[in-house]
């Protein structure tokens, strides 16, 4: 576009100079006219190519161009001299400049429409969570945790669906939970984690989730924080909520890849994806696990790794 405009301006200047020469009785050399006409034809062909690019549906299948070809020059009246080559060039350049202005306006309008459509489509799309590794691994794994959706642009509050309240625990369950003793040691952070572990081990998953969240809020930098985040994911997974479990597995893996339970979280992320029937992402997580934690894949976690991989058809 810029190159075409520069060429047009230079030709317009040359044409104007030719008019001045004609006014003082000098004729424009034939060779210069041919060169100018050749350059002008080239610019016109470029503009036509640009029109085909901006308006791909010339048959009206997509939309009609908002510019029209230049109006033909009317025939001179009797007794008036015919148009000169210079005046023809000026008229053609005026037509080309009008077409370029129309194309520029159309491109700006289309760009604005596309931006508005993309903004509307973006509402409600989960925000990707960046992961380590190459760009391909990040783009494939970032949706596994089911990140929070951005807030709608509208200020009108949306109607919230009514969700039934969970049933209150029975007296027998309350008594069974109370029977699980909370440890009392010199490390209160470890006591909070151990209590959550005992609740999970006894299959009191909702209570374990609540306790482990409390532990992570109170002791986010505790030595067992990696264990706590992973166990919280396990509590959701065992409670039949693989999507919520995946969030905690991804968070634990991203927070500290050298953490004691980072390998477990990445592997159980694949387990969560498998339960969600997202075999593609399950295979991605397994590939990352076997590459990043090769010793764990061949040792402590080999059984879980093999059983998770079975039936997925990973390459």
């Amino acid at each position: 576009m810029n190159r075409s405009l520069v060429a047009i301006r230079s030709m317009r200047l040359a044409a104007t100079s030719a008019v001045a020469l004609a006014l003082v009785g000098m004729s424009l050399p034939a060779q210069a006219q041919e060169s100018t006409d050749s350059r002008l034809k080239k610019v016109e062909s470029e503009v036509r190519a640009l029109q085909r690019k901006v308006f791909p549906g010339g048959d009206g299948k997509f939309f009609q161009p908002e510019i029209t070809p230049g109006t033909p020059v009317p025939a001179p009246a009797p007794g008036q001299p015919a148009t000169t080559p210079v005046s023809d060039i000026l008229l053609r350049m005026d037509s080309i400049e009008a077409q370029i202005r129309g194309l520029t306006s159309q491109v700006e309008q289309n760009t604005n429409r596309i931006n508005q459509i993309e903004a509307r489509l973006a509402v409600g799309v989960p925000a990707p969570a960046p992961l380590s590794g190459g760009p391909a691994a990040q783009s494939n794994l970032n949706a596994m945790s089911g990140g929070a959706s951005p807030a709608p642009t509208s200020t009108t509050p949306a109607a919230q669906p009514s969700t039934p309240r969970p049933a209150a625990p029975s007296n027998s369950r309350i008594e069974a939970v109370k029977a699980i003793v909370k440890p009392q040691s010199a490390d209160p952070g470890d006591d909070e984690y151990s209590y959550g572990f005992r609740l999970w081990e006894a299959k009191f998953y909702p209570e374990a989730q609540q306790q482990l969240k409390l532990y992570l809020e109170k002791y986010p930098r505790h030595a067992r924080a990696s264990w706590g985040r992973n166990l919280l994911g396990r509590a959701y997974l065992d409670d039949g909520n693989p999507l919520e479990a995946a969030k905690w597995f991804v968070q634990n893996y991203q927070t500290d890849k050298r953490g004691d339970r980072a390998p477990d979280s990445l592997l159980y992320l694949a387990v969560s994806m498998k339960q969600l029937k997202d075999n593609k992402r399950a295979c991605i997580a397994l590939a990352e696990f076997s590459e990043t934690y090769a010793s764990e894949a061949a040792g402590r976690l080999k059984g879980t790794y093999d059983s998770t991989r079975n039936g997925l058809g990973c390459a």
Side-chain angles (χ1 to χ4, degrees):
M1 178 78 71
N2 291 335
R3 188 177 67 179
S4 300
L5 290 175
V6 171
I8 290 171
R9 292 193 185 99
S10 63
M11 287 186 289
R12 192 179 184 86
L13 180 59
T16 305
S17 300
V19 173
L21 290 174
L23 290 175
V24 297
M26 299 179 64
S27 62
L28 188 65
Q31 184 179 2
Q33 293 182 23
E34 292 175 358
S35 175
T36 302
D37 189 64
S38 175
R39 293 169 63 190
L40 184 56
K41 287 180 179 179
K42 180 180 179 182
V43 173
E44 286 178 326
S45 66
E46 291 178 353
V47 171
R48 285 195 296 270
L50 180 60
Q51 285 178 313
R52 290 194 297 271
K53 185 69 174 177
V54 176
F55 307 112
D59 57 355
K61 185 176 180 180
F62 297 95
F63 54 84
Q64 292 295 333
E66 294 183 5
I67 61 174
T68 58
T71 305
V73 179
Q80 293 183 351
T83 58
T84 65
V86 173
S87 62
D88 287 339
I89 289 174
L90 291 175
L91 289 173
R92 289 164 67 184
M93 285 194 296
D94 288 338
S95 176
I96 291 173
E97 288 177 341
Q99 290 178 358
I100 290 176
R101 286 194 298 269
L103 287 171
T104 302
S105 175
Q106 185 66 44
V107 169
E108 291 176 351
Q109 292 176 11
N110 290 341
T111 301
N112 184 49
R113 292 191 191 106
I114 291 171
N115 291 337
Q116 291 176 355
I117 292 172
E118 289 179 344
R120 289 195 295 268
L121 292 176
V123 176
V125 177
L131 291 179
S132 64
Q138 292 185 11
S139 62
N140 285 319
L141 286 172
N142 59 14
M144 293 184 182
S145 61
S149 302
T153 56
S154 173
T155 57
T156 305
Q160 298 294 332
S162 59
T163 54
R165 283 183 151 186
S170 62
N171 292 334
S172 59
R173 185 180 183 90
I174 294 175
E175 294 300 324
V177 171
K178 286 182 178 180
I180 298 176
V181 180
K182 183 177 182 179
Q184 299 290 333
S185 69
D187 187 346
D190 190 76
D191 294 341
E192 296 290 349
Y193 166 77
S194 298
Y195 183 49
F197 176 82
R198 292 182 180 183
L199 290 169
W200 169 78
E201 191 176 37
K203 303 186 186 305
F204 293 125
Y205 300 127
E207 292 81 0
Q209 295 161 13
Q210 183 178 0
Q211 173 60 29
L212 290 168
K213 286 181 180 178
L214 176 64
Y215 158 69
L216 292 170
E217 289 174 1
K218 292 177 64 175
Y219 306 98
R221 300 183 182 278
H222 190 260
R224 285 188 176 268
S226 177
W227 296 65
R229 287 187 293 266
N230 180 73
L231 187 59
L232 182 53
R234 292 286 304 276
Y236 278 111
L237 186 64
D238 295 339
D239 199 26
N241 191 346
L243 183 59
E244 187 67 23
K247 296 180 182 180
W248 289 100
F249 291 139
V250 169
Q251 180 181 340
N252 192 44
Y253 173 64
Q254 289 180 331
T255 301
D256 184 8
K257 286 189 176 183
R258 297 179 180 272
D260 294 335
R261 286 295 180 263
D264 303 65
S265 289
L266 187 55
L267 178 57
Y268 277 99
L269 174 60
V271 175
S272 301
M273 293 297 105
K274 185 176 182 179
Q275 289 191 13
L276 291 169
K277 301 187 184 305
D278 193 340
N279 293 355
K280 179 180 177 181
R281 289 192 172 94
C283 289
I284 292 171
L286 286 174
E288 178 112 352
F289 168 75
S290 62
E291 180 180 351
T292 308
Y293 307 107
S295 60
E296 298 285 351
R300 178 174 65 90
L301 298 174
K302 185 178 186 305
T304 305
Y305 172 70
D306 292 339
S307 62
T308 304
R309 187 181 174 86
N310 185 33
L312 286 178
C314 300

